[in-house]
Amino acid sequence: MKNNQSNNDLSLLNTKADELIQLLKKGDIDKEHIKAIQQKINNAVENTSGLQKFDAFSGLNQDQSRLDMVTNLELLLTQHQVDSRESKKYLFHERLKRIVLIGIAVTMIILGLAMIIMPAPPYFEMFTIFYFSKDDGITLMDVISVLIVLTGVYLFINAILRKINS
């Protein structure tokens, strides 16, 4: 039923577009009024697509030849208008993602270092992997803390390198 309704909507949209074209061909309307109608249609199309505009550009295949990629990019640019407001919104979202990733990485590094430095309860230190002396050594908690620190360093480096590349 939903497919049938969308087909009806598409056919109605096509007939309305044909009617609009016929009215414009008659030439009874002045240019200012035509520009106002065009702006209205552009705004309606812009409001329905939202941030999905940039997702269409991710569909470009890197394995194609340069000429095919340029042709596809030209087609996408004609179908999806990209203005500075939309690109600023997209860049803001990307920067926010990077900042959050850097914040998580720094938190993990600090948490891991704090776990290594601060004394742990005896029930955490019951498994000693390597003894330096009779009472001191590397415990399982130390190994887990180092893994947390290394994960934080990896996330931090990944966020910084992604920022430089983009």
Side-chain angles (χ1 to χ4, degrees), residues 68-107:
D68 291 339
M69 288 177 64
V70 168
T71 305
N72 288 342
L73 181 62
E74 180 183 358
L75 179 66
L76 285 172
L77 285 173
T78 57
Q79 290 176 351
H80 304 281
Q81 289 183 351
V82 180
D83 58 353
S84 62
R85 183 178 36 138
E86 292 295 325
S87 63
K88 284 180 185 177
K89 198 183 299 185
Y90 176 78
L91 288 175
F92 173 74
H93 288 288
E94 289 298 314
R95 284 187 192 120
L96 187 63
K97 287 179 191 177
R98 271 191 229 112
I99 290 170
V100 168
L101 187 60
I102 288 172
I104 291 171
V106 169
T107 303

Side-chain angles (χ1 to χ4, degrees), residues 6-7 29-30 40-41 73 84 95-97 112 114 163 166:
S6 71
N7 287 338
I29 305 170
D30 59 3
K40 221 187 250 190
I41 291 172
L73 181 62
S84 62
R95 284 187 192 120
L96 187 63
K97 287 179 191 177
K163 182 176 182 181
S166 63

